[in-house]
Amino acid sequence: MAGLRAALLPLVLQLTSLALVSVTGGVILRDSPELVDIHHYQQQEPAHASAPAGAPQEQGRPLEERLGRLEAQMMELREQNKELRVRVRQLESCECRPASAQCWGLGRAWPEGARWEPDTCTACVCRDGAVHCEPKAGLAHCRGESLPSPIWGEGSVSALQAGTVRCQGPSCSELNCLESYTPPGECCPVCRPGCEYEGQSYEEGANFLSSSNPCLQCSCLSSLVRCVPMKCPPSPCPEPVLRPGRCCPTCRGCTEGGSHWEHGQEWTAPGDPCRICQCLEGHIQCRQRECASLCPYPARPLPGTCCPLCDGCFLNGREYRSGESVGSGDPCSHCHCANGSVQCEPLPCPPVPCRHPGRIPGQCCPVCDGCEYQGHQYQSEETFSLRESGHCLRCSCQAGEVSCEEQQCPLAPCTLPDSGPPLCPACVLEGEEFAEGVQWEPDGQPCMACSCHDGVPTCGAVLCSPAPCQHPTQPPGTCCPICESCTYHGQVYANGQNFTDADSPCHACSCEDGTVRCSLVDCPPTTCARPQSEPGQCCPRCPDCILEEQVFVDGENFSHPRDPCQECQCQEGHARCQRRACPRALCAHPLPGPCCQNVCNGCAFGGKEYPNGADFPHPSDPCRQCSCLSGSVQCLARRCPPLPCPEPVLLPEECCPQCPAAASGCPRPGGGVPARHLEHFPLPDDPCRRCLCLDGSVSCQRLPCPPAPCAHPRQGPCCPSCDGCLYQGTEFASGARFPSPSVACHVCLCWEGSVSCEPQACAPAQCPFPARGDCCPACDGCEYLGEPYLSSQEFPDPREPCGLCTCLGGFVTCRRRPCEPLGCSHPLTPAGHCCPTCQGCLYHGVTAAPGETLPDPLDPGCSLCTCQEGSMHCQKKPCPPAPCPHPSPGPCFCPVCHSCLSQGQEHQDGEEFEGPPGSCEWCRCQGGQVSCVRRPCPPLSCPLQVTEPGSCCPRCRGCLADGEEHPEGSSWVRPQSRCSSCTCHEGVVTCARVQCVSSCARPHQGLSDCCPRCSDCEHEGHKYEPGESFQPGADPCEVCICEPEGPPSIQCHRRQCPSLVGCPISQLLPPGPQHCCPTCAQALSNCTEGLLGSELAPPDPCYTCQCQDLTWLCIHRACPELSCPPSERHTLPGSCCPVCRAPAQSCAHQGRAVASGERWAEDVCTTCSCVAGTVRCQSQRCPPLSCGQDEAPALSPGSCCPRCLPRPASCMAFGDPHYRTFDGRLLHFQGSCSYVLAKDCRGGDFRCAAPSASSLTPYTCPR
């Protein structure tokens, strides 16, 4: 048996050392029942030493069984030890901080030194965070179960049964929360963060208002809801109103600067008409007024207003009234302001007496000193050539008139004079050759377009269509303006570009497709009370701040220039600085920086600073070694070597325990079992002291009290305890609520040794105007508009001087102050008084002084009222007598007359009639009175007017001729000559012989006919009705009439133009299109009495005019008959009648004489003739060609008109010698050799060459 013990003892020691290693690793293992039994066996062995030895096999069998179990658990402990080593390595990288020592037992935490009894036989104590239990001495039923002080870990609960320690899990307290969970490494569940209050769920840390009482501000902390009454800020208005669902009263209106506005009322900010302010629940909110731009150049706003108006214009920094002239920079246009817009019109030009007046640079109106013809300007007496419809014309400009005559067209430039018909109609202009049909733009002339037609270049001005935008841009080198950018006030802006109008900085403009659109700038709201506006700046802005000679804009956040630890903000021109808020450091023990302690390249620990990576001893625990790593301190306990003794001793000022030497025990005070060496035991008469047996000597000291983990612990038997509170000298149980002994209206709560006080929560008052109580509002009085009143007290209404209010149980009722009854019917309430008096009258909103008479407000036209001692007395106005025998009731029921007597005749009321004869008046009967006005005459457009005797208004006078008057515009036949026709025009009679025109091949003329007739009223297939007139040809002066009498026939003649008597030559206007006669730009001369019998020469030399009967009579001079044919007649300048020319002359053409009238062919397209010594040529007109996309018009040899040839699929060689390439280019080479026209340069498949060099037969090489 002794050998078995000897073999078992080393194994037990090994297990003990392994358990110690496990404890040093930070994990306390529960003692297994086998280990407890071994301890029990070792301690019981001396007691059985004196027993007789018997049955050794029986005694050794249980030990063998236990040894087997121990070996199995040894294997399990080795595996656990591997895991523990891994956990120790992880824990060594963490920072360890000492925690308050406490022990778990019976389902709760016990502070250091606490004692309790788990059962009637056991007493336990918490020492150094471990539970030490021992059996009670002196109890008979507990004998045989004495147990040395085992060490139990946290959370273990033990019971002694039949000498065996049995362990079970701790009992967990009941939770009262929404949701619970068990954290990792814990036994008992805890409440999940969050709160439930009044049926609503809130997150941890949430702040909210109570739904039943809006004056309670609640918060959710540690799954508990705490509510405190809300403190209302002082009201900025004198009369706050308590609104439903709100705790604090709000302002009914807004008050600022002595002005008051009601809720929702808007007004314009004083001094800034562009800001609109609104009162919203006692707060003033302002915004910028928005103005709609309805015109492009609105006038600036009137003083005191914000938005610009369209009743004028603001342009180029100047104001213009509507209708006022505006400078445009164009001397030929007149611009004026029209309701915010600028309208321009060309200056009116006087009429000119020529048909093609020219324009002089620098002048606006055309003059007859030059000519403008087909878009080109020509000087007077300048000769130029034109080509129209294939005809060549030579024209000349003479005093605004252009006269042209046909001439021979020049030969094609590619045709030699003796080579026959042209083969290639190409054009040469300024030394450069252009192919037929090509259009081009001359160099440096973007507004000219030229084309080549029939070998003749034709150039004309490019007509620009009006741009579809308002502000187009004309790029350099182009002719027509385009809308790809905007030209606005002399500046060019790209499409999509936004800019500010330099003349009006409050307009923001943008260029969109060539049109500039501007709108008012929407100024942002300013954050200061007095914003400033600078010249040339639209929106007001807050002033800047100057600090340390540096400028900062309003609202800018910046660092102080001299102190980087201060953060500043510019507000209304002042820099407000405060200490900069330090950000949270990223490490646990940072070093102090320039402003904040957040530098993590070292450590500040225990009042000292250490560099990064330094190792240093713990400042308060010499058994711990610390190291600084990037601002974090890690402290680890020094490792101690394992000891072979079961109960090592830790000597004072030592870090590692040592095995004690064999020592003796100590007697206990009061007797009993002696204490063993190093055993702690209490004194029976002083439980607050603890003794230690050290090698036979006893040393006792008072138990050290650990720091209480609460703010207000109560005094326990030995140490302060957190199971109650000691607050200002009074003890309170945990969970007790009590009034604060130092702060009024505060309630305190004792909870686990700490006292927290908060303002007393008041229930909402059940009245609208509660009085202020000691702590909470009460309804035993009233507080109305800031003033307290007692219940049942009457007081004047602070808002209404004539009101009287009563306080009753927190309710305030106001009514108007009662007034004494008066003896008048319309009393007046004077200003500043509450009750009316009879010293005046108030009648239907009209105030009257005593004795004052005024029109009745209900019948102001017919009644008068007088104020007498506060009552109004009204009566009808007296009616004047009627001047007629039978009056009828009128207004105000007064008699009125409804008829008038004029010139012995009676007229009813409202009747209109003529006035006295010769008075030219129109009269009306109204209310018995006759009123007459002169009859208006209609305006007349004729210059000659005459008023007939007995007539009121003038009429247009016609013409007097041969004693008869003829109306304006009429025609008639003179009695002296039936073939002479006269017309009346503006008081001038023009007579001339009828000029006949023949419109048919075989006309016939009767004896009484002035002009020959054509049978039937039909002309060119159109049939005309009798009396219908028409124009037979292109000459607007010729007219034909289907005779209305006799058989159907047509008679034609030339229109007779009236004489323009007294019209200067400069005022003569040529006839326009489809007009026959010229007109005068001014009124004609009148034949007055002073001019009777005088003669006047009109502009037409064929007429002579004489003043007769206040009418100019102009008669056409008769011309003698001529014997020469009409083709040889001509009229000399300034004469009336034509004369015969000299005999016909021959023509000289290319060195030979050609008889007059001879015709010949110049080429295949041109035919010439000799007419009166002049060669006239006419070219053949070719029909238009419609060629395909791959074709081009070209001339074939021997033909006049071009035909369609493939393009560019062929080249051609012709002439002397000429070549047209595949791309249509024309080349000329003179030389005697063979020319390669085309060949395959890569494969050599074909080669095309011209066989000869001069006088080539037209040769075509297909591609």
Side-chain angles (χ1 to χ4, degrees):
M1 187 66 184
L4 181 61
R5 289 198 201 98
L8 182 61
L9 184 59
L11 179 61
V12 172
L13 292 176
Q14 185 179 0
L15 290 173
T16 305
S17 64
L18 182 60
L20 289 175
V21 173
S22 302
V23 173
T24 25
V27 178
I28 299 177
L29 299 176
R30 298 177 180 177
D31 291 340
S32 63
E34 290 78 1
L35 290 176
V36 176
D37 291 342
I38 294 298
H39 290 224
H40 183 246
Y41 167 77
Q42 289 177 333
Q43 296 180 4
Q44 294 294 332
E45 184 180 357
H48 298 281
S50 60
Q57 295 180 355
E58 296 295 332
Q59 295 180 0
R61 186 177 293 110
L63 291 177
E64 291 177 356
E65 294 176 356
R66 292 174 182 172
L67 181 59
R69 289 195 296 269
L70 284 175
E71 290 178 354
Q73 291 200 359
M74 277 287 297
M75 299 300 295
E76 183 180 356
L77 286 175
R78 288 175 180 172
E79 297 298 327
Q80 292 182 358
N81 192 22
K82 294 180 181 179
E83 298 178 359
L84 291 175
R85 289 180 180 177
V86 176
R87 295 186 62 186
V88 167
R89 292 192 190 99
Q90 296 177 352
L91 291 174
E92 285 178 349
S93 63
C94 301
E95 179 183 358
C96 299
R97 297 180 180 178
S100 60
Q102 62 179 2
C103 305
W104 277 93
L106 300 181
R108 58 162 292 186
W110 298 92
E112 178 73 13
R115 297 176 180 271
W116 70 94
E117 297 178 356
D119 54 44
T120 57
C121 298
T122 309
C124 299
V125 63
C126 178
R127 287 198 304 266
D128 298 329
V131 178
H132 298 268
C133 296
E134 59 187 8
K136 292 184 178 181
L139 297 178
H141 64 280
C142 296
R143 292 176 182 176
E145 297 179 2
S146 62
L147 184 68
S149 301
I151 300 177
W152 293 346
E154 290 187 14
S156 63
V157 178
S158 65
L160 292 173
Q161 294 180 356
T164 302
V165 178
R166 298 186 180 276
C167 299
Q168 62 182 7
S171 60
C172 298
S173 59
E174 184 179 356
L175 300 178
N176 182 18
C177 52
L178 291 175
E179 186 179 356
S180 64
Y181 74 105
T182 302
E186 299 290 341
C187 296
C188 295
V190 297
C191 290
R192 187 174 295 277
C195 305
E196 182 178 4
Y197 186 69
E198 296 179 339
Q200 298 289 332
S201 298
Y202 301 95
E203 296 180 355
E204 178 72 17
N207 295 319
F208 56 92
L209 291 177
S210 173
S211 58
S212 60
N213 186 359
C215 291
L216 288 181
Q217 178 73 33
C218 303
S219 60
C220 173
L221 296 174
S222 301
S223 301
L224 294 177
V225 176
R226 294 186 179 182
C227 298
V228 296
M230 184 186 300
K231 293 183 180 180
C232 296
S235 176
C237 54
E239 302 177 3
V241 178
L242 184 62
R243 302 184 184 274
R246 297 195 179 185
C247 174
C248 299
T250 58
C251 293
R252 178 176 299 175
C254 303
T255 302
E256 184 182 56
S259 302
H260 180 76
W261 298 277
E262 296 297 330
H263 171 71
Q265 185 177 357
E266 289 188 353
W267 69 94
T268 301
D272 188 0
C274 291
R275 289 179 64 81
I276 301 177
C277 299
Q278 187 180 20
C279 175
L280 296 175
E281 297 184 352
H283 298 280
I284 298 176
Q285 296 183 0
C286 298
R287 68 181 189 276
Q288 199 75 9
R289 187 189 299 270
E290 297 181 358
C291 298
S293 179
L294 303 178
C295 49
Y297 303 100
R300 289 187 291 188
L302 299 176
T305 64
C306 173
C307 297
L309 304 176
C310 290
D311 59 351
C313 303
F314 183 74
L315 186 65
N316 298 328
R318 179 184 169 188
E319 291 275 0
Y320 297 91
R321 297 187 303 273
S322 189
E324 186 178 355
S325 297
V326 178
S328 64
D330 185 4
C332 296
S333 63
H334 172 73
C335 301
H336 66 279
C337 171
N339 298 327
S341 300
V342 176
Q343 298 181 358
C344 298
E345 299 175 353
L347 291 176
C349 294
V352 292
C354 53
R355 290 180 295 178
H356 302 93
R359 294 183 179 273
I360 300 178
Q363 296 186 10
C364 301
C365 296
V367 295
C368 293
D369 292 343
C371 302
E372 181 178 359
Y373 193 70
Q374 294 185 356
H376 295 271
Q377 298 287 337
Y378 303 99
Q379 298 180 1
S380 187
E381 299 184 0
E382 182 182 355
T383 303
F384 53 93
S385 299
L386 294 177
R387 188 180 182 93
E388 294 182 355
S389 302
H391 296 275
C392 297
L393 302 178
R394 183 174 181 83
C395 305
S396 62
C397 170
Q398 296 289 338
E401 295 289 345
V402 175
S403 58
C404 299
E405 61 180 7
E406 189 175 356
Q407 67 175 1
Q408 182 180 358
C409 293
L411 298 177
C414 61
T415 303
L416 296 178
D418 300 333
S419 62
L423 299 178
C424 53
C427 301
V428 177
L429 182 64
E430 297 180 354
E432 187 176 357
E433 186 175 279
F434 301 92
E436 174 68 18
V438 174
Q439 294 185 356
W440 70 95
E441 176 186 299
D443 295 337
Q445 302 180 30
C447 292
M448 294 290 292
C450 299
S451 62
C452 177
H453 182 70
D454 292 340
V456 177
T458 303
C459 297
V462 175
L463 299 179
C464 296
S465 58
C469 54
Q470 298 180 8
H471 306 92
T473 301
Q474 185 169 356
T478 62
C479 179
C480 299
I482 58 176
C483 296
E484 296 180 359
S485 57
C486 303
T487 300
Y488 189 70
H489 290 172
Q491 298 291 331
V492 179
Y493 302 95
N495 275 339
Q497 182 178 355
N498 298 324
F499 59 94
T500 301
D501 190 353
D503 298 327
S504 179
C506 285
H507 282 79
C509 305
S510 64
C511 174
E512 299 176 2
D513 297 331
T515 298
V516 174
R517 307 183 188 279
C518 298
S519 60
L520 283 178
V521 174
D522 188 8
C523 294
T526 56
T527 57
C528 54
R530 296 179 178 85
Q532 301 175 357
S533 296
E534 299 179 0
Q537 176 183 341
C538 174
C539 297
R541 57 188 298 268
C542 295
D544 297 334
C545 302
I546 300 177
L547 183 63
E548 299 294 339
E549 299 181 355
Q550 296 187 22
V551 180
F552 304 93
V553 298
D554 185 76
E556 179 182 0
N557 295 323
F558 58 94
S559 299
H560 195 285
R562 299 180 60 184
D563 186 2
C565 296
Q566 291 192 37
E567 187 176 14
C568 306
Q569 185 181 23
C570 178
Q571 294 180 354
E572 300 187 5
H574 300 283
R576 293 176 171 83
C577 300
Q578 60 182 0
R579 201 71 184 171
R580 185 185 300 275
C582 294
R584 182 178 180 183
L586 301 178
C587 52
H589 302 89
L591 294 175
C595 299
C596 305
Q597 187 168 354
N598 55 5
V599 180
C600 291
N601 60 355
C603 302
F605 188 74
K608 296 183 179 180
E609 296 183 0
Y610 302 96
N612 191 24
D615 295 330
F616 56 92
H618 194 279
S620 60
D621 188 359
C623 295
R624 299 175 68 189
Q625 184 73 14
C626 302
S627 61
C628 173
L629 296 175
S630 300
S632 297
V633 176
Q634 297 180 354
C635 296
L636 301 177
R638 296 181 180 179
R639 295 188 177 183
C640 295
L643 299 178
C645 55
E647 294 184 2
V649 177
L650 181 64
L651 299 180
E653 297 182 359
E654 293 291 336
C655 294
C656 295
Q658 300 177 4
C659 290
S664 59
C666 303
R668 292 180 183 269
V673 179
R676 300 186 308 274
H677 176 65
L678 296 179
E679 181 183 356
H680 291 271
F681 57 92
L683 293 177
D685 56 348
D686 189 0
C688 295
R689 295 174 66 84
R690 186 175 62 169
C691 299
L692 175 65
C693 176
L694 292 175
D695 196 12
S697 62
V698 178
S699 63
C700 298
Q701 61 180 359
R702 189 169 183 83
L703 288 174
C705 293
C710 52
H712 307 91
R714 72 174 183 85
Q715 186 63 37
C718 296
C719 296
S721 174
C722 290
D723 58 353
C725 304
L726 179 62
Y727 187 67
Q728 296 188 3
T730 307
E731 286 193 3
F732 301 95
S734 183
R737 292 182 178 271
F738 56 92
S740 174
S742 58
V743 182
C745 299
H746 278 61
V747 177
C748 301
L749 171 66
C750 172
W751 184 261
E752 296 181 354
S754 297
V755 175
S756 60
C757 298
E758 57 188 14
Q760 179 178 346
C762 297
Q766 302 300 320
C767 53
F769 302 101
R772 297 183 182 179
D774 294 335
C775 294
C776 297
C779 293
D780 56 354
C782 303
E783 183 176 351
Y784 186 66
L785 299 180
E787 295 294 332
Y789 302 98
L790 300 177
S791 187
S792 303
Q793 178 183 354
E794 288 188 349
F795 55 92
D797 190 349
R799 299 174 302 174
E800 177 59 48
C802 296
L804 188 65
C805 300
T806 304
C807 169
L808 188 60
F811 288 84
V812 176
T813 57
C814 298
R815 66 188 185 279
R816 189 171 181 83
R817 191 186 302 272
C819 298
E820 298 180 358
L822 300 176
C824 52
S825 58
H826 303 97
L828 175 66
T829 302
H833 292 71
C834 297
C835 296
T837 65
C838 292
Q839 300 299 318
C841 300
L842 179 62
Y843 181 65
H844 292 288
V846 179
T847 303
E852 183 181 359
T853 300
L854 53 115
D856 187 356
L858 300 180
D859 190 9
C862 301
S863 298
L864 295 176
C865 299
T866 304
C867 177
Q868 298 177 356
E869 296 181 356
S871 298
M872 292 291 279
H873 300 278
C874 301
Q875 60 182 359
K876 293 289 183 181
K877 293 181 180 179
C879 296
C884 54
H886 304 290
S888 59
C892 300
F893 296 98
C894 290
V896 295
C897 295
H898 288 286
S899 62
C900 305
L901 188 63
S902 176
Q903 301 180 15
Q905 294 183 358
E906 185 176 1
H907 302 277
Q908 297 299 320
D909 187 65
E911 181 182 354
E912 295 181 353
F913 54 91
E914 292 186 0
S919 63
C920 295
E921 293 181 337
W922 190 256
C923 302
R924 179 182 178 86
C925 175
Q926 185 72 36
Q929 302 293 330
V930 176
S931 58
C932 298
V933 295
R934 185 168 182 83
R935 181 184 301 176
C937 294
L940 299 179
S941 59
C942 54
L944 299 179
Q945 301 178 7
V946 61
T947 302
E948 300 289 347
S951 299
C952 297
C953 298
R955 65 175 179 84
C956 288
R957 205 203 77 173
C959 303
L960 287 177
D962 301 326
E964 294 183 6
E965 181 178 353
H966 300 275
E968 173 71 18
S970 61
S971 300
W972 68 95
V973 177
R974 297 192 66 184
Q976 297 87 348
S977 174
R978 57 185 180 83
C979 290
S980 294
S981 174
C982 301
T983 59
C984 175
H985 176 69
E986 297 185 7
V988 178
V989 176
T990 303
C991 296
R993 184 174 180 83
V994 176
Q995 300 182 21
C996 298
V997 177
S998 177
S999 62
C1000 55
R1002 292 191 297 271
H1004 61 276
Q1005 185 174 3
L1007 296 177
S1008 60
D1009 294 336
C1010 293
C1011 293
R1013 299 173 179 264
C1014 296
S1015 300
D1016 297 331
C1017 289
E1018 184 175 355
H1019 179 72
E1020 295 183 354
H1022 187 274
K1023 201 167 187 66
Y1024 297 92
E1025 298 296 330
E1028 189 177 357
S1029 61
F1030 61 91
Q1031 182 177 319
D1035 191 352
C1037 293
E1038 296 181 357
V1039 61
C1040 296
I1041 301 175
C1042 179
E1043 293 295 335
E1045 298 180 358
S1049 61
I1050 293 178
Q1051 194 173 21
C1052 302
H1053 62 277
R1054 291 187 63 83
R1055 297 181 186 271
Q1056 181 178 333
C1057 294
S1059 296
L1060 304 178
V1061 181
C1063 183
I1065 297 179
S1066 61
Q1067 297 298 318
L1068 285 176
L1069 299 179
Q1074 297 302 318
H1075 288 77
C1076 176
C1077 300
T1079 57
C1080 186
Q1082 66 181 27
L1084 301 180
S1085 175
N1086 292 331
C1087 175
T1088 60
E1089 293 183 358
L1091 297 176
L1092 290 177
S1094 61
E1095 291 186 356
L1096 185 65
D1100 192 347
C1102 292
Y1103 285 89
T1104 57
C1105 300
Q1106 186 178 14
C1107 182
Q1108 299 178 2
D1109 297 331
L1110 302 180
T1111 301
W1112 286 105
L1113 178 60
C1114 300
I1115 300 177
H1116 191 276
R1117 182 190 308 173
C1119 294
E1121 293 291 337
L1122 298 178
S1123 59
C1124 57
S1127 60
E1128 297 181 0
R1129 299 176 184 177
H1130 72 285
T1131 302
L1132 297 177
S1135 60
C1136 172
C1137 298
V1139 296
C1140 292
R1141 289 183 177 179
Q1145 298 178 357
S1146 61
C1147 302
H1149 179 66
Q1150 296 183 359
R1152 68 185 183 89
V1154 181
S1156 179
E1158 183 180 349
R1159 300 175 62 87
W1160 69 94
E1162 185 70 17
D1163 52 37
V1164 293
C1165 296
T1166 307
T1167 301
C1168 301
S1169 62
C1170 176
V1171 179
T1174 302
V1175 175
R1176 296 184 180 181
C1177 297
Q1178 185 176 4
S1179 298
Q1180 178 183 348
R1181 295 185 180 182
C1182 296
L1185 285 180
S1186 178
C1187 298
Q1189 296 182 353
D1190 297 335
E1191 295 179 334
L1195 281 174
S1196 297
S1199 62
C1200 174
C1201 295
R1203 61 187 180 90
C1204 294
L1205 293 178
R1207 183 186 60 181
S1210 63
C1211 63
M1212 181 181 293
F1214 59 93
D1216 186 21
H1218 310 292
Y1219 303 91
R1220 185 184 301 277
T1221 61
F1222 287 115
D1223 55 359
R1225 187 179 180 186
L1226 193 64
L1227 303 176
H1228 310 282
F1229 294 102
Q1230 281 77 25
S1232 178
C1233 59
S1234 177
Y1235 295 99
V1236 178
L1237 301 183
K1239 73 174 181 178
D1240 185 1
C1241 299
R1242 291 186 178 180
D1245 292 341
F1246 73 93
R1247 181 175 182 272
C1248 183
S1252 59
S1254 61
S1255 299
L1256 281 175
T1257 302
Y1259 186 81
T1260 301
C1261 181
R1263 186 177 62 179

